[in-house]
Amino acid sequence: ADSCHLYYRPEGHAERVAIAHVDPDLRARLYDANERWPLDLDAALPAGSDGQPYGTRLIEVVTPEMGAILAQADPEHQALIEAHGVTSAILVPLQARGAPIGLVVFNYTTVSRRRYRPDDVALAEALAHRFTEAVDTARLRAAARPPRAASPRR
């Protein structure tokens, strides 16, 4: 992957908690973009008739029209999407104990000019499963930790 984005949604709002990109300057811009244009996970992975998110989405070819839809007629957002240059993507929902907790997105960009293929999905899902286990374990440990006592003020 030329870039990888990890979104976590403990309760409603999706927050980008990690991003890796081959271009460090663009990585910083993409982090900032989440504040201005947060990802709507429900739109990225709409729920099926049973209320569960759809499974993994492989987008072998990302078109300029897809970027325009994501930008929602915002020229600045459109420029950032074009600079990111995504050419192919795999979106994998993260679920812990049956509940959706986030999304991981693997992208190829104009940097490598590669395309994801159906045989790449299994690896993406295995990595997403590891992310899910790590996040869920951290959540469980935090919940089990006794509250810290307030320190006395001087």
Side-chain angles (χ1 to χ4, degrees):
D2 297 328
S3 72
C4 178
H5 307 247
L6 179 62
Y7 296 90
Y8 177 58
R9 175 177 65 180
E11 295 165 21
H13 174 71
E15 178 183 343
R16 185 180 302 167
V17 293
I19 183 171
H21 196 285
V22 294
D23 179 342
D25 293 330
L26 186 55
R27 176 182 176 267
R29 289 177 57 202
L30 290 169
Y31 253 122
D32 293 341
N34 193 61
E35 293 297 315
R36 292 190 59 196
W37 306 290
L39 179 69
D40 180 350
L41 285 183
D42 295 324
L45 291 168
S49 59
D50 62 356
Q52 293 297 312
Y54 286 134
T56 300
R57 290 183 59 193
L58 167 64
I59 306 171
E60 290 186 57
V61 178
V62 174
T63 66
E65 294 78 21
M66 291 174 180
I69 291 168
L70 186 62
Q72 299 177 4
D74 182 323
E76 204 173 335
H77 194 192
Q78 180 69 36
L80 180 62
I81 290 169
E82 289 171 5
H84 192 193
V86 175
T87 57
S88 188
I90 300 176
L91 292 77
V92 185
L94 306 177
Q95 292 192 42
R97 287 175 262 126
I101 63 164
L103 174 74
V104 63
V105 181
F106 300 96
N107 295 311
Y108 278 137
T109 68
T110 53
V111 172
S112 69
R113 301 192 185 280
R114 296 180 64 192
R115 301 268 189 253
Y116 285 111
R117 303 285 181 225
D119 57 334
D120 295 315
V121 170
L123 177 58
E125 289 177 332
L127 289 169
H129 180 73
R130 289 181 183 247
F131 293 153
T132 301
E133 287 179 339
V135 168
D136 195 43
T137 299
R139 271 192 338 183
L140 291 171
R141 286 185 178 167
R145 196 174 302 134
R148 296 184 349 176
S151 52
R153 295 186 182 236
R154 294 180 196 208

